[in-house]
Amino acid sequence: MEIYKENQLKIYNSLSKSKELFKPLTEGRVGMYVCGPTVYSNVHLGNVRTFMSFDMVFRYFLHLGYKVRYVRNITDAGHLENDADEGEDRISKKARIEEIEPMEVVQRYTLDFHETLEKYNFLPPSIEPTATGHIVEQIEMIKEIMEKGFAYEVNGSVYFDVLAYNEKGNNYGILSGRKMEDAIHNTRTLDGQSDKKNPQDFALWKRADERHIMRWPSPWSDGFPGWHLECSVMSTKYLGEQFDIHGGGMDLKFPHHECEIAQSQTCSGEKPVNYWMHANMLLLNSQKMAKSTGNFVLPNEILTGNNNILSKAFAPSVVRFFNMQAHYRSILDFSSDALEASEKGYYKLMDAVNSLQNIQTSKTSSVDIASWKQQCYDAMNDDFNTPILIAHLFEAVKIINQLKEQKATITADDLAVLQKTMHAFVFDVMGLTNETKQDSSDKIDGVVALLIKLRKEARDNKDWALSDQIRDELLALGIQLKDGREGTTFSIN
């Protein structure tokens, strides 16, 4: 009997507000779609937390023996945020400011996204489609929605008719719990709002004005697709009209995922997703981490220590371990103190894992490894509860220490189970790597990062003499600083 038949999961479903028994559409297979980044800037740590949560989910399904098709998109087509009728999309805005092509922006930050996730030991998704690669399919879906009477065209733009959708017995608001009256009351008045029949209608296609660089021909106008359309198109194309899991950040529940449901259900007549999963936010300074407010930290800054928040640099696996110590649906506070505490726990766990190969076996076991193993699976089967899993892993650390001190005994068979289970959950499921404590070269990197920080403060204070002194004395030691658009880096000659 395969392991997935013995370990069915209960997943918290945002649609039903309850934990439900996971029943895949096809036994042993899972289809999972996760909303990826809009590639107009460097991905920040709050974004990484969301993707890390679903990387863990992906890893656990693979561990259980499922065949998983994991689709995570790249939004590389400029769109207007929050269905605004006027304005400039973020990709085009970045291209205009830097005087480059929009697809240069896309390429730069797509590469940065991939490089960042690779540093943090992510598994690549099965498919990573792009919005610009599916413009034709998006136009075809709009045609289908219009043919069914749930969309209309005005001045070259096409809008989804939310009231018509609800009048046919559907429920726009089913995921977020919002009522139609509230949606109408809370809708902002925007320039061009009169193009819509109703204020809560959302764009499927927007006619591009002269400023909008990214545009494509369509039956209605030269324009660009609405924000929500691409995910309905790509999830349907690669996972079918109905699939198992759709994931994303909590901030996507409304309106993005709500609109996806309306679009997809209009076309197929079926609810598109069995389980909606939303990862919660990462806080910095007690506020949501976000690019729009400037309240964020970049993942690479954590690895170099070149930031104003942390006391030093931290290894990627320490950051992963920090994230896994909170449930994916819980808000998580980011701070230097929290990372330092996670670092201690991480190295304690690695020391125990590395000690397993030196444990002496006995004819009998004084420890119950079978029950401990089941507790680990019970934790993960309860909506991927990594904090409880980690608590059980540290119970194993205590057992390992007792075995090292010969205060407990274990048979060869039980030791093999302990080693295999620890390896599976620590490395395969949580995605940690076995890193050693920082050596002298790491300490040098930390010292240089601190000097770079002090030099930046000197430059900000127009203390050019001190700034030059730090640069010149580091150069005399064979450490060359290089100032660039993304900050100051260094090389050791």
Side-chain angles (χ1 to χ4, degrees), residues 22-37:
F22 179 74
K23 296 179 180 178
L25 293 176
T26 305
E27 190 174 39
R29 295 176 181 267
V30 177
M32 181 169 73
Y33 185 94
V34 173
C35 293

Side-chain angles (χ1 to χ4, degrees), residues 21 54 64 139 146 169 210 309:
L21 185 65
F54 290 103
L64 291 181
I139 291 173
M146 294 181 78
E210 293 180 356
I309 299 166

Side-chain angles (χ1 to χ4, degrees), residues 356 358-362 364-367 369 396-411 415 418:
L356 279 169
N358 299 319
I359 297 296
Q360 299 295 316
T361 59
S362 180
T364 60
S365 288
S366 61
V367 290
I369 298 302
V397 171
K398 292 179 182 178
I399 292 173
I400 292 168
N401 288 334
Q402 289 174 348
L403 293 169
K404 286 166 57 178
E405 297 169 3
Q406 297 184 339
K407 294 180 179 179
T409 59
I410 191 169
T411 64
L415 179 59
L418 179 58

Side-chain angles (χ1 to χ4, degrees), residues 55-227:
D55 181 64
M56 173 270 296
V57 172
F58 180 34
R59 286 170 171 276
Y60 188 55
F61 277 123
L62 292 175
H63 170 69
L64 291 181
Y66 286 94
K67 183 175 182 180
V68 187
R69 178 173 290 174
Y70 174 23
V71 182
R72 186 185 66 214
N73 73 299
I74 294 288
T75 297
D76 62 345
H79 57 70
L80 303 183
E81 296 295 327
N82 300 318
D83 298 310
D85 280 358
E86 300 291 337
E88 187 175 19
D89 73 88
R90 291 174 173 177
I91 294 174
S92 294
K93 183 177 180 180
K94 188 81 168 184
R96 178 177 54 80
I97 291 172
E98 299 193 10
E99 298 182 339
I100 59 177
E101 284 291 326
M103 294 313 289
E104 289 184 72
V105 174
V106 166
Q107 179 73 358
R108 176 188 300 169
Y109 293 111
T110 299
L111 289 174
D112 173 77
F113 175 65
H114 290 152
E115 289 169 1
T116 298
L117 298 198
E118 185 177 354
K119 288 176 182 176
Y120 282 86
N121 198 33
F122 278 67
L123 296 178
S126 313
I127 303 173
E128 192 173 52
T130 63
T132 57
H134 296 77
I135 297 295
V136 172
E137 291 93 334
Q138 292 181 71
I139 291 173
E140 290 303 311
M141 178 172 271
I142 294 172
K143 289 180 181 178
E144 185 174 356
I145 294 172
M146 294 181 78
E147 288 170 1
K148 294 189 176 181
F150 294 107
Y152 56 91
E153 182 265 335
V154 179
N155 296 327
S157 295
V158 182
Y159 298 97
F160 188 94
D161 193 331
V162 172
L163 287 183
Y165 176 75
N166 271 20
E167 286 170 359
K168 292 294 184 180
N170 300 300
N171 183 4
Y172 181 81
I174 189 172
L175 180 64
S176 60
R178 299 194 183 198
K179 296 180 180 179
M180 182 59 65
E181 311 86 74
D182 297 333
I184 295 173
H185 178 72
N186 293 327
T187 300
R188 297 178 299 157
T189 300
L190 300 165
D191 292 338
Q193 187 73 61
S194 59
D195 282 352
K196 300 179 182 180
K197 288 183 180 179
N198 309 294
Q200 68 278 2
D201 294 348
F202 58 89
L204 299 175
W205 186 265
K206 287 295 297 175
R207 179 177 173 272
D209 62 25
E210 293 180 356
R211 294 175 299 167
H212 205 94
I213 305 172
M214 304 185 79
R215 59 175 68 207
W216 293 266
S218 80
W220 314 285
S221 65
D222 277 3
F224 51 94
W227 173 29

Side-chain angles (χ1 to χ4, degrees), residues 9-13 18-19 56-57 277 327-329 378-386:
L9 294 91
K10 288 184 178 180
I11 300 177
Y12 183 92
N13 187 2
S18 65
K19 291 178 184 176
M56 173 270 296
V57 172
M277 297 173 63
H327 193 273
Y328 76 89
R329 285 189 292 105
D378 290 344
M380 286 300 294
N381 292 344
D382 185 13
D383 196 27
F384 311 97
N385 202 323
T386 53

Side-chain angles (χ1 to χ4, degrees), residues 43 46 127 152 175 217 305 351 394 428 436 443 461 485:
V43 63
I127 303 173
Y152 56 91
L175 180 64
D351 287 343
F394 275 97
D428 298 342
T436 57
K443 292 177 181 177
N461 294 328
R485 183 182 299 159

